[in-house]
Amino acid sequence: MTRKGRRWAIVLVCGVGLGSATALSLLAFSSDMVFFVAPSDLAANGQPGRSLRLGGLVEAGSVHRVSEGGEPVAHFRVTDGKASVDVSYTGILPDLFREGQGVVTLGTLRPDGTFRASEVLAKHDETYMPKDVADALKKAGMWDPTKGPPPPAATWNAMATRTAG
Amino acid sequence: MDAIALIAPRAGRGLHRFANPGRFLRLAGAVQPWLTGSAIIVTAIGLYWALFISPADWQQGDAVRIMYVHVPAAWLASMGYAGLALCSLASIIWRHPLADLAAAEIGPVGAGFTALCLATGSLWGKPMWGAWWVWDARLTSVLVLFFLYLGHIALVRAFDEPQRGYRAGSILALVGVVNLPIIKFSVDWWNTLHQPATITLMGAPTMALTMLWPLLVCAIGFTLVFAALVVARTRAAVMERRIRALLMARSEASA
């Protein structure tokens, strides 16, 4: 074996070893790598009093904004399609907060099964579309942002050129 | 670029070492003006298109324009690291002298693009998510990439004898490669605040074409800027090394 061949062998063996070690550690820690838990996880094994992040979609028609003692309080339900949790939050919500939007809330589960959030982050999806396209889709009845993600981009890209031309 | 000539196996001894960098200097000297010129023109067109002509997003408004800098910077941060790792491989396997220099010069450029990606991401995150920074898997793995770049920059320059620095740096760079798939797939493997990829190899991009085209032009422009910076820095490093060798030879001759 040449010296070059030996160096190749060393690099490959180290690469395989390091790669599998990393993969195994990531697998072992995968439950700690998640940024938030879903409402169905919380329903299965949520412990009241522990601080955690709850993430999911804001359920359509569930948002109620009230004023308690001069402070804006928002009540809404966070759902993952299987389970949903009542969340209350005192403070100003991010601009992107709306029904059907993904959110991540930091807070604690209370004994009555509701979630008291101290922080609400909006999570936007990987779709980007201009306002006129979104309006056209909503007008055509092809998409309701409060109900779920938009249809595939191929359908509205074709529509956008049709309306433009 | 004559990739085969650059990566071809070399004995790497004596005067032979500098034969290859010499060819690189001639080639890179001819390419540099075109590379720099096209980098400036394409980036200017892309940024003007992205910042002034392309439409605002339906829910993010004008803040979406940060994407046209953030996404190309993020791609280049990862691709630059892949280039750094390839140079390190060529350095370890073939002891290629030009790969050593190129690796040392990619580091600061890649770190700059990673810093740009982190800074624009933070500026984008505050108005959209409501937080400058969160410790989710995507953001954390990109921060690790930034530290890998910084570590490489420091390591290759930390030794009196440059060869030892190059060797240590290339080992660090190759070990750091495990971070690249983690960055790429972090948004798919774990739930993160950062959204998954819009543009994927399989499947259509989930983005309006009026936004996709300026993004692609910006990405090409940023890639040309990256290449122009690396080529210019590597040329300077080769010339610096030659000047040092000449000065050494002269001082030895006069002594």
Side-chain angles (χ1 to χ4, degrees), chain A residues 7 36 122-123 126 129 157, chain B residues 58 93 191-192 198 206 209:
Chain A
R7 292 200 286 256
F36 56 84
K123 177 173 159 55
E126 65 276 27
M129 65 167 85
N157 265 323
Chain B
W58 75 280
I93 306 277
N191 52 30
T192 51
T198 296
T206 54
L209 290 178

Side-chain angles (χ1 to χ4, degrees), chain B residues 205-226:
Chain B
T206 54
M207 179 185 281
L209 290 178
T210 47
M211 302 161 124
L212 185 63
W213 285 117
L215 176 62
L216 291 182
V217 174
C218 279
I220 294 170
F222 273 52
T223 310
L224 290 169
V225 169
F226 194 101

Side-chain angles (χ1 to χ4, degrees), chain B residues 156-208:
Chain B
V156 293
R157 288 160 179 81
F159 294 86
D160 288 334
E161 195 188 329
Q163 287 304 323
R164 298 176 61 154
Y166 295 143
R167 174 70 63 81
S170 53
I171 292 171
L172 173 71
L174 287 178
V175 169
V177 167
V178 291
N179 194 31
L180 288 185
I182 297 177
I183 293 176
K184 170 77 184 109
F185 296 109
S186 54
V187 288
D188 303 320
W189 289 341
W190 308 290
N191 52 30
T192 51
L193 188 61
H194 194 286
Q195 71 280 10
T198 296
I199 298 163
T200 52
L201 284 179
M202 323 278 198
T206 54
M207 179 185 281

